[in-house]
Amino acid sequence: MGGFAPLDRPIDVELIDVTKVFDSGVVAVDRVTLQIQQGEFFSLLGPSGCGKTTTLRMIAGFEHPTAGEVRIEGRPMGHTPPFRRNVNTVFQNYALFPHMTVFENVAFGLRMKRVPRDEISRRVREALQLVRLSGFEERYPRQLSGGQQQRVALARALVNRPRVLLLDEPLGALDLKLRKEMQLELKHLQMTVGITFIYVTHDQEEALTMSDRIAVMNAGRVLQVGTPIEIYERPTSRFVADFIGETNFLSGRVDDVERDTATVLVAGNRPVRVRIDEPLSVGSEVTVAVRPEKVQIVPLEAPGADGLLRGRVEEVIYIGTDTFYVVRIDETTTVRVRSQNDRNRLDGGQLLPIGTAVALSWAPDAARVLLD
Amino acid sequence: MAIVERIRPSERSRSWRERLGDAIRQHEGLRALLLAGPGGLWLLLFFLLPTAIVFAYSFARRGPYGTVSWAFTLENYVRFFDWLYIRVFLVSVWLALLTTVICLLIGYPFAFVIARSPRRWRNALLVLVLIPFWTNFLVRTYAIMLLLRSDGLINNALQWLGLIDRPLTMLFTPFAVVLGLVYGYLPFMILPIYASIEKFDFTLVEAAQDLGADTWQVFWRVLLPLTLPGVLAGSILVFIPSVGAFVTPDLLGGGKVVMIANLINQQFLTVRHWPFGSAVSFVLMAIVLAATMLYFRIGETRRI
Ligand SMILES: Nc1ncnc2c1ncn2[C@@H]1O[C@H](COP(=O)(O)OP(=O)(O)OP(=O)(O)O)[C@@H](O)[C@H]1O
Ligand SMILES: [Mg+2]
């Protein structure tokens, strides 16, 4: 499931400076540029209303960009109608035809293309097998569970062997357990058929689990594009760091820079060392971001206890595999720490009680400097 | 339990109203009778009884001076098979079918446009559809006559424009009758179709387009099948009153276009042959019944 190095395969879908302004004046998509490679599982991730669906609909041809260009397989799409684009969509509410059986639903696209009858029945059977729905041919959509309807929608799109499959929160209506199952199944399916998937979701965990690359969107803009690891480990903006996973933000001032490491004074002039990718000038105001699970927590009285920050445990939240500690550094700063409940650790599997004086530390490359 | 309740010591002092109330509460049959009673009585008095009388008449003979002399004979029904009357039957069904089809062709796009217009306009458009009902049907029919007459507005306008030299004969033709029927019953087609298009989920259109359907295929394979309940309801609501129309063929057909209702009217009031008039009434009822059954049959076999 590793990421793609950029541009090592042909580009299937390309968005060049695409903007969509609705008649109401809403700027739904704002100068978005994306390149999606052949065979890639590409996710559009962002909060509700950030323009994911609109972006997808412009690729499908249901909406047309106000400015910019959508290219599929290198060809500018202009106002090409949906039925002339080599893409298919799985809709959020499935949009199965209620008056047709499962077979007729899946066969619909092939019938429109006047594929010979026996080829239709063969390909429909294959598609249903692929989504593990053999034997459901004669059922009507309303006689199926949500997960089964979802699979019919997938088969109905895949049977056409599109170049690109667009999926708009296809698992949104399923319960958590089924959703997890379907995530793996979908990912597996995508690798089997080798079709490019463009997948819309507002669930960061889903995006991390399934995608080769993710574009994080907010307010119509794409903030960062990268592999799940890049997005999670090296967020380039406060929004991305906050939206994907959990992050402590410590605002401070750059005190010293030596090659790829900066010393930033945070929480009452405590120096913390942070790895940097871009040059920083001394004295600039920055935010240090560090994930809760990267923070080591040690009781101050433990032998050799040392740390970047000191504080007192204010809250202890036990969640089974891990424990969250909220540690107060000073009046305005708290740090969340996620500590694995592992017997081999220093604290011996014992929870630290509220009020314990602790030292917090992290490796220099575990933290990031954000400029916004 | 109920018996114990009924012989409470206070029983004697209770009013008849309280006792009636108890009785109603305790007897399901009585309750059903009381609930259905008023409606049932109304139906019995004003529908079943007259229908039964007409049914009985249809087997009787015409007495001297138009009286009814009781008998049991099928001659009234046999008489209907005269070409003269079969023709009236065929003309009625044909004009009603034509009216239904024209209403459908006009009404469907109409309903579609209303259902797809911005929400705040929809109610206003629906009111426009209903506005003609504010005026009496007879008045509106006379208005159509004024338009269609040889020296009416349309002929005058066409002559003034030099498109024709002699007035077109429009009044007292089947054309005028169908025009009147379409005009009169179009709202009954528009409203049920509107209701079913309004309920239709338009993401299905996008799904179909996405799968390669062009506009016509979307219409035939997705929109029409899923709005068929509205189409069927509208068709039956237009066909039934059209096939039994009386005023429209009477005024706009001017005696030249005779439909079943005109024949019935003639038999009862002019010819005073009540038994034959009754038999024709029952033929009309059979047509309506057949149409209704066809409607339910199609509704049932549809797979939705
Ligand atoms: N047809 C439309 N007309 C006007 N505004 C629209 C239309 N469709 C979407 N918008 C607006 O554009 C913005 C982006 O909408 P979009 O549906 O793309 O968001 P989304 O990221 O898919 O959100 P969600 O996760 O809630 O589905 C929103 O502010 C929305 O209100
Ligand atoms: Mg959406």
Side-chain angles (χ1 to χ4, degrees), chain A residues 11-314:
Chain A
I11 303 296
D12 258 359
V13 177
E14 193 172 12
L15 273 66
I16 304 166
D17 238 2
V18 168
T19 295
K20 176 70 190 183
V21 184
F22 282 109
D23 295 339
S24 56
V26 177
V27 183
V29 173
D30 189 6
R31 286 162 286 160
V32 164
T33 295
L34 288 174
Q35 293 188 327
I36 297 153
Q37 295 165 27
Q38 190 190 319
E40 193 173 18
F41 196 121
F42 191 93
S43 291
L44 294 171
L45 173 65
S48 183
C50 72
K52 307 179 295 286
T53 298
T54 308
T55 305
L56 207 66
R57 289 170 60 82
M58 285 192 286
I59 300 172
F62 296 125
E63 304 280 1
H64 301 294
T66 314
E69 191 171 88
V70 174
R71 289 186 183 172
I72 297 175
E73 298 174 80
R75 265 179 297 129
M77 282 294 114
H79 281 238
T80 308
F83 55 89
R84 298 232 182 79
R85 299 185 183 206
N86 200 359
V87 301
N88 282 116
T89 306
V90 175
F91 293 85
Q92 175 159 11
N93 61 356
Y94 316 141
L96 298 178
F97 304 121
H99 59 303
M100 296 183 197
T101 61
V102 168
F103 183 94
E104 290 167 327
N105 263 283
V106 178
F108 190 87
L110 300 178
R111 286 193 176 145
M112 291 304 107
K113 290 180 198 87
R114 307 194 182 284
V115 173
R117 191 176 281 269
D118 36 327
E119 190 185 337
I120 290 183
S121 72
R122 183 175 52 78
R123 277 170 69 176
V124 170
R125 240 178 302 114
E126 279 170 15
L128 287 175
Q129 207 157 25
L130 196 65
V131 298
R132 301 193 290 115
L133 270 185
S134 301
F136 287 76
E137 287 83 353
E138 297 314 313
R139 297 246 200 134
Y140 285 92
R142 69 191 134 80
Q143 301 168 317
L144 300 176
S145 72
Q148 290 164 342
Q149 291 183 20
Q150 165 60 58
R151 278 184 250 221
V152 176
L154 263 173
R156 185 177 70 173
L158 284 173
V159 78
N160 303 292
R161 299 181 186 148
R163 183 83 175 194
V164 180
L165 192 64
L166 308 174
L167 305 100
D168 191 356
E169 310 214 17
L171 308 182
L174 305 180
D175 64 51
L176 191 65
K177 191 167 178 306
L178 190 57
R179 204 179 158 118
K180 299 261 178 211
E181 275 172 37
M182 286 295 294
Q183 284 174 9
L184 294 179
E185 207 174 305
L186 256 182
K187 177 68 197 166
H188 197 79
L189 192 72
Q190 190 263 341
M191 293 198 288
T192 315
V193 295
I195 291 173
T196 309
F197 274 34
I198 303 181
Y199 190 96
V200 162
T201 179
H202 61 256
D203 180 339
Q204 42 118 351
E205 204 179 313
E206 191 165 288
L208 291 175
T209 315
M210 306 170 76
S211 319
D212 293 315
R213 283 197 305 151
I214 301 170
V216 184
M217 293 185 71
N218 187 36
R221 309 221 56 183
V222 168
L223 298 181
Q224 190 173 356
V225 183
T227 63
I229 294 173
E230 282 165 1
I231 296 277
Y232 189 82
E233 301 287 341
R234 294 191 289 284
T236 54
S237 60
R238 189 178 175 125
F239 180 87
V240 174
D242 202 25
F243 190 74
I244 318 255
E246 229 190 314
T247 304
N248 293 298
F249 295 107
L250 302 162
S251 33
R253 195 163 41 74
V254 179
D255 189 46
D256 184 29
V257 179
E258 81 185 44
R259 274 183 295 145
D260 61 346
T261 310
T263 306
V264 182
L265 299 177
V266 298
N269 289 334
R270 303 282 185 147
V272 296
R273 282 155 60 79
V274 188
R275 188 72 39 87
I276 52 174
D277 304 329
E278 293 163 43
L280 264 183
S281 55
V282 172
S284 53
E285 303 284 333
V286 294
T287 301
V288 173
V290 59
R291 300 273 186 202
E293 73 274 15
K294 309 251 157 134
V295 181
Q296 313 276 340
I297 183 167
V298 198
L300 263 187
E301 68 225 26
D306 189 19
L308 302 166
L309 297 175
R310 289 175 182 199
R312 234 165 239 291
V313 174
E314 196 172 76

